[in-house]
């Protein structure tokens, strides 16, 4: 056990090195792709409605029926939830590295297949699009627990929060890239195939070439994932998994010496550990980490109801306040362009800065303070939008609405959207870390599904104002459940999970047999 603790202590105190940043980029590009793939669909759903659900003589362009829209927007979340649970469990059973490349290939293949959805009639295209987006989500789901766990197990104590948050912050660039790709593609096709607004030319407003636009936008997500596959395959297994789960301190030391400049002796082969190898469904896990798991799952669930509702349906909110013209006043490609421009502006001004504020401050002010603050301000701004909602719909006040709406995104990302990803990768034992992160993330995706499916119907049933009030209440509940989540700033993973106590207990027992105290092995 002394050798295992020596490896882990060396990782905790290792100086920040080039490989730490390499790992951030490798893991982060997966998250870039995740965000791009999950959110790019919201840019093209209006176009899909125009292409496949046009009704001759209708005063308005074609639009996806409610059930089809909910399926197209939400089916990827169903796959993501399943993938988080499955790959989270597999990452603890088979190792982080072995599963890591598999998730990426699933994402690449299904991203391309989504854009090649078969057939010409609406049912065939929507059915195959939903099928492949489910499996795309399945691959994305695996990226959550594995990326977070790998980064937490590579990082040192001092900057661990910033490193994990930086991986997650790549999600912001993915959302931004989705908007920018949609702007470029739609602008290029608009220039090549100009069309009149729907009210002037119902049929001609949607050129046949527009069918290529949504397919290109959807398939583009495969490129960044494909570029990082080679580097993922070159990453060694994390030392914490090898030492604490595979019980091979010699291999852990050898692996880390290849990529990090740490001085380690690797004398031992396999080590026999007498630690408390309690399982996920044991009383001991419930006693030690039950409330922690409740805290991480509940906060992530509540956050994602609000976060994904806002993200997926911001185009509807912008239309409701008149920031984007009514559909009949635009051509199909003009609508894609304007929706993408609005989403890009929100991402650039609030989403991306929010992520990087978290990276900058998470190891200074801590996870708990950032999460509590984020939920608090999300609650405040949501109620500030909802209560005087009529005021914001007036033309003179629309800019104010967009600013307030942007601030809810900023404090989601400089707040619980980042911390709910970071904390589950730090507070659970190594043998259950990926599984527990997967469970927490899956609870988040359950919230995203509530947001994706629920907002669609709530908006029509009770109106935007009442829906925003409900989201404000959801954010307040997130603030309450934050008090179940422990602060992990500046503490080692083994200290947080209780594994350091197990190691020390084993060390004391061994010292009684050998006459030597091995708890203070040199690093």
């Amino acid at each position: 056990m002394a050798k295992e603790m020596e490896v882990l202590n060396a990782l905790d105190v290792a100086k920040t090195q080039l490989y730490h940043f390499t790992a951030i980029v490798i893991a982060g590009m997966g998250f870039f792709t995740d965000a791009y793939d999950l959110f790019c669909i919201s840019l093209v759903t209006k176009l899909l409605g125009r292409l496949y659900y046009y009704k001759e003589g209708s005063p308005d362009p074609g639009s996806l029926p409610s059930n089809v829209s909910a399926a197209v927007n939400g089916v990827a979340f169903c796959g993501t939830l399943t993938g988080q649970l499955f790959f989270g469990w597999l990452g603890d059973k088979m190792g982080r590295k072995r599963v890591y490349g598999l998730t990426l290939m699933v994402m690449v293949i299904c991203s391309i297949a989504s854009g090649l959805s078969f057939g010409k009639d609406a049912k065939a295209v929507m059915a195959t699009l939903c099928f492949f987006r489910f499996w795309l989500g399945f691959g994305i789901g695996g990226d959550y627990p594995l990326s977070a766990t790998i980064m937490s197990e590579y990082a040192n104590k001092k900057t661990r929060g910033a490193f994990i948050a930086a991986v997650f912050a790549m999600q912001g660039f993915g959302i931004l890239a989705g908007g920018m790709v949609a702007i470029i593609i739609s602008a290029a096709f608009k220039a090549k195939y100009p069309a009149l607004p729907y009210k002037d030319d119902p049929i001609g407003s949607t050129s046949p070439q527009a069918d290529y636009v949504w397919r290109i936008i959807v398939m583009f997500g495969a490129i960044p994932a494909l570029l990082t596959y080679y580097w993922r395959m070159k990453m060694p297994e994390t030392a914490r998994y090898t030492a604490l789960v595979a019980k091979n301190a010699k291999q852990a030391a050898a692996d880390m010496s290849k990529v990090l400049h740490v001085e380690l002796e690797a004398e031992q082969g396999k080590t026999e550990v007498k630690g408390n190898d309690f399982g996920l469904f044991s009383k001991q896990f419930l006693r030690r980490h039950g409330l922690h798991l409740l805290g991480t799952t509940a906060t992530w669930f509540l956050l994602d109801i609000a976060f994904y509702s806002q993200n997926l349906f911001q185009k509807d909110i912008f239309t409701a306040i008149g920031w984007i013209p009514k559909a009949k006043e635009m051509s199909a490609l003009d609508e894609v362009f304007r929706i993408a421009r609005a989403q890009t502006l929100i991402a650039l001004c609030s989403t991306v800065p929010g992520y990087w504020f978290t990276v900058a401050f998470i190891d200074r002010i801590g996870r708990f303070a950032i999460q509590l603050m984020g939920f608090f301000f999300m609650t405040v701004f949501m109620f500030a939008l909802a209560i005087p909602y009529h005021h914001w719909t007036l033309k003179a006040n629309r800019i104010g609405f967009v600013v307030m709406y942007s601030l809810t995104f900023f404090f989601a990302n400089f707040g619980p959207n980042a911390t709910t990803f970071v904390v589950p990768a730090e507070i659970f034992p190594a043998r259950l870390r990926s599984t527990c992160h997967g469970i927490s993330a899956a609870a988040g995706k359950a919230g995203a599904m509530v947001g994706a499916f629920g907002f669609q119907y709530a908006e029509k049933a009770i109106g935007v104002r009442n829906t925003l009030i409900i989201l404000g209440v959801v954010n307040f509940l997130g603030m309450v459940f934050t008090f179940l989540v422990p602060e992990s700033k500046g503490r080692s993973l083994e200290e947080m999970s209780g594994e350091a106590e197990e190691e020390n207990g084993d060390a004391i027992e061994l010292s009684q047999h050998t006459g030597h105290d091995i708890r203070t092995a040199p690093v």
Side-chain angles (χ1 to χ4, degrees), residues 375-398:
F375 270 128
F376 172 77
F377 280 111
M378 286 172 73
T379 307
V380 168
F381 288 119
M382 204 62 82
F383 282 130
L385 287 174
I387 294 168
Y389 180 69
H390 176 69
H391 168 81
W392 297 117
T393 60
L394 301 175
K395 193 169 184 178
N397 303 320
R398 286 172 185 169

Side-chain angles (χ1 to χ4, degrees), residues 399-412:
I399 297 299
F401 180 94
V402 173
V403 170
M404 297 276 279
Y405 191 67
S406 298
L407 284 169
T408 64
F409 276 108
F410 176 80
F411 283 106

